[in-house]
Amino acid sequence: NEPFKRIKDEDVVFLDERLKDNSFMAKGGAIGSYGEKAHRDLIVTRGKGFRNEKNKKKRGSYRGGKIDLESHSIKFNFD
C-alpha cells in the first residue's frame, strides 16, 4: 500500500544529468558567488527562524561574494 503519486519516479527521464540535483552548490559557478555566504548561513536554518534570517540577508548590510554576469543556464536543443 503506497501513497498516490501523480508522477511515478521510474517514468521520469532527465534530458541532462545536472537536473537531478537541485541544490545551490550543484549550480555551476556557486563557489565564490554572491549567494554562497547566504547559502551557508541559511542551509542550517529550519522552521520559523528561516524567514527572519532570510530577511537579514536582504538588507543593505549583507556583503556576499563576487557578483558575476555569467549565465549558468542549461541549454537544450530541440530539433
Side-chain angles (χ1 to χ4, degrees), residues 2-12:
E2 61 184 76
F4 172 75
K5 287 186 175 182
R6 191 172 305 279
I7 299 171
K8 297 184 178 15
D9 294 337
E10 60 271 3
D11 295 342
V12 176

Side-chain angles (χ1 to χ4, degrees), residues 1-35:
N1 190 12
E2 61 184 76
F4 172 75
K5 287 186 175 182
R6 191 172 305 279
I7 299 171
K8 297 184 178 15
D9 294 337
E10 60 271 3
D11 295 342
V12 176
V13 177
F14 289 96
L15 296 176
D16 192 307
E17 291 297 313
R18 294 175 286 179
L19 295 172
K20 288 184 177 181
D21 187 359
N22 198 27
S23 66
F24 176 78
M25 295 310 284
K27 176 181 86 90
I31 305 297
S33 69
Y34 187 76

Side-chain angles (χ1 to χ4, degrees), residues 1 3 11 25 32 38 44 52 71 73 75-76 78-79:
N1 190 12
D11 295 342
M25 295 310 284
V44 297
N52 184 28
S71 172
S73 300
K75 306 291 187 251
F76 294 99
F78 298 107
D79 295 342

Side-chain angles (χ1 to χ4, degrees), residues 13-77:
V13 177
F14 289 96
L15 296 176
D16 192 307
E17 291 297 313
R18 294 175 286 179
L19 295 172
K20 288 184 177 181
D21 187 359
N22 198 27
S23 66
F24 176 78
M25 295 310 284
K27 176 181 86 90
I31 305 297
S33 69
Y34 187 76
E36 182 184 14
K37 181 180 170 199
H39 165 73
R40 279 188 275 119
D41 293 344
L42 293 175
I43 194 71
V44 297
T45 307
R46 298 283 181 248
K48 292 180 179 179
F50 182 82
R51 183 186 312 142
N52 184 28
E53 292 298 319
K54 174 187 61 109
N55 287 335
K56 280 191 211 175
K57 303 292 180 238
K58 291 167 68 174
R59 291 193 192 120
S61 62
Y62 172 73
R63 296 290 177 243
K66 175 185 72 138
I67 297 177
D68 62 350
L69 299 176
E70 286 185 52
S71 172
H72 301 288
S73 300
I74 299 172
K75 306 291 187 251
F76 294 99
N77 296 323

